[in-house]
Amino acid sequence: MARKTTTLMPNSGVELNVTGDPVPGDSYYGYTDGIHTVAIYGQNLSGRVKIQGTLATTPSDEDWFDILLTGMPYIDYTSFTGVEGFTFIANLVYLRAILDRDALGITDVSTAGYIDKIYLNY
């Protein structure tokens, strides 16, 4: 059973690229099992989604690294509507989510949909 559920990224709106704020992971609270689950809720979403983690207690941009979700450091979506979950094990102090549409050459956000939310559970 999860100890905590929080929002890793709120609604992305019609922004081209979005980097979410750092959210405490299980190591922040002293938990040691490292089990994290993210649920990505998309509404006609087109773009690349990354989940990143850090071991730093006061992270700078250089402290973040990509989490492998399906053997890749990102998930590419094209017109995705629904929810998709991923579980990974890593003792992380903070996590954040990134929506990167530049990577897929998307320039027209009016047809690119959006992230409704990304939940983090640990």
Side-chain angles (χ1 to χ4, degrees):
M1 184 170 165
R3 293 178 287 254
K4 185 166 180 69
T5 299
T6 189
T7 301
L8 189 56
M9 179 181 279
N11 188 300
S12 67
V14 293
E15 297 296 319
L16 189 60
N17 300 308
V18 179
T19 298
D21 293 331
V23 173
D26 71 341
S27 286
Y28 180 88
Y29 297 104
Y31 302 127
T32 59
D33 65 5
I35 300 172
H36 295 82
T37 300
V38 294
I40 301 169
Y41 292 75
Q43 294 294 322
N44 196 37
L45 172 63
S46 293
R48 177 169 287 174
V49 176
K50 293 181 177 185
I51 305 299
Q52 294 186 321
T54 183
L55 303 175
T57 55
T58 54
S60 67
D61 285 340
E62 296 80 31
D63 293 319
W64 295 96
F65 54 88
D66 296 335
I67 304 296
L68 299 180
L69 299 176
T70 59
M72 298 291 291
Y74 55 83
I75 303 293
D76 286 342
Y77 291 106
T78 303
S79 302
F80 170 72
T81 296
V83 61
E84 188 169 25
F86 303 94
T87 298
F88 54 91
I89 299 174
N91 287 319
L92 302 169
V93 178
Y94 287 101
L95 293 95
R96 69 180 181 183
I98 295 176
L99 171 59
D100 179 7
R101 298 187 206 263
D102 289 340
L104 300 181
I106 298 169
T107 57
D108 182 4
V109 294
S110 67
T111 60
Y114 58 93
I115 291 174
D116 186 34
K117 61 191 167 231
I118 299 178
Y119 281 155
L120 169 65
N121 200 336
Y122 55 86

